[in-house]
Amino acid sequence: MMLIFLILLFVILFFPFSIKINFKYEKNKISVKFLKKEFNLSTKNGSKDILTFKHHMEEMSSKKNIDGDNAKIIMEKFKKNIFKPKLTTNITIGYGLSDAAITAILNGLIYSLYPFVFNILNFFFNLKHIDLKVNPVFNKEFLYIEIQGIIFINLVKIIHIGLLIFFSLHSRKKTLKGSNAF
């Protein structure tokens, strides 16, 4: 019985599980799937989801423990962290404008922003695969965005990241209490 418990504990701690996220915007409708729950943010029920999300974000901002300096410290710690979750993502963007020249310029702008987005994601994740597909359609106005992502993480990484954030915030508070800057 003890051997089964140890094997089960080992599997839970060290083998990764996947978290699937899907974001889609099409014809002024936004749908977000997280694990197996879907949120439609453009229908009558969506307005309720938006209000719940807005209320949750307001609660988090009122309990603000992370300021700009703390965020900078945490990002530096994440940059050096080897225990980041792995991310696989597919991004599909379809768009069109009435002017073909502006559509072509926007296509170049989207592809030039790709390395910037890649570097931001690289702070928080080990990137396994990122696929960007941009489909410009000339002389037609529309916008379609779909982002599908899978995050691979295990319990050890969650604990490690939680401790990293906790100790970053805790050491910052100690530093501020110990200094007589005012």
Side-chain angles (χ1 to χ4, degrees):
M1 186 67 171
M2 185 66 165
L3 181 63
I4 294 173
F5 175 74
L6 289 174
I7 291 172
L8 187 61
L9 182 66
F10 180 77
V11 168
I12 291 172
L13 285 176
F14 294 105
F15 284 98
F17 57 92
S18 62
I19 300 171
K20 295 181 181 181
I21 301 168
N22 189 358
F23 171 84
K24 186 188 266 186
Y25 175 82
E26 182 177 19
K27 296 180 183 176
N28 294 329
K29 294 181 182 176
I30 299 172
S31 70
V32 178
K33 289 182 186 175
F34 182 73
L35 298 173
K36 294 185 179 186
K37 178 124 172 109
E38 183 172 354
F39 301 96
N40 292 315
L41 303 178
S42 298
T43 62
K44 291 181 182 177
N45 291 337
S47 61
K48 182 180 176 185
D49 288 341
I50 290 171
L51 290 175
T52 304
F53 181 74
K54 185 177 178 184
H55 178 70
H56 179 68
M57 293 305 288
E58 287 173 355
E59 277 184 9
M60 285 179 59
S61 65
S62 67
K63 299 176 185 176
K64 191 175 183 179
N65 291 331
I66 300 176
D67 59 2
D69 292 334
N70 288 342
K72 187 185 257 187
I73 291 169
I74 290 171
M75 285 188 66
E76 281 298 317
K77 299 268 185 175
F78 265 104
K79 186 177 183 181
K80 297 173 186 174
N81 186 12
I82 59 171
F83 294 108
K84 297 185 224 179
K86 292 180 180 161
L87 174 68
T88 300
T89 185
N90 295 321
I91 303 170
T92 304
I93 301 173
Y95 69 96
L97 298 170
S98 59
D99 187 6
I102 295 174
T103 304
I105 291 170
L106 187 58
N107 189 35
L109 182 65
I110 289 170
Y111 275 112
S112 67
L113 290 176
Y114 175 70
F116 178 70
V117 172
F118 182 85
N119 285 332
I120 289 174
L121 288 175
N122 206 19
F123 268 106
F124 303 104
F125 300 102
N126 285 329
L127 302 173
K128 285 178 69 174
H129 175 75
I130 290 186
D131 187 21
L132 175 67
K133 296 176 186 168
V134 180
N135 303 319
V137 176
F138 300 101
N139 299 324
K140 182 179 177 186
E141 291 186 18
F142 80 98
L143 178 63
Y144 171 80
I145 300 172
E146 184 174 6
I147 302 171
Q148 298 174 335
I150 302 174
I151 300 170
F152 297 97
I153 192 163
N154 59 23
L155 196 56
V156 171
K157 290 180 183 179
I158 293 171
I159 293 169
H160 180 74
I161 291 169
L163 289 174
L164 182 88
I165 292 171
F166 174 76
F167 286 128
S168 296
L169 293 175
H170 187 68
S171 67
R172 174 85 173 134
K173 286 180 184 177
K174 272 184 156 177
T175 306
L176 290 176
K177 284 183 182 178
S179 68
N180 293 326
F182 298 106

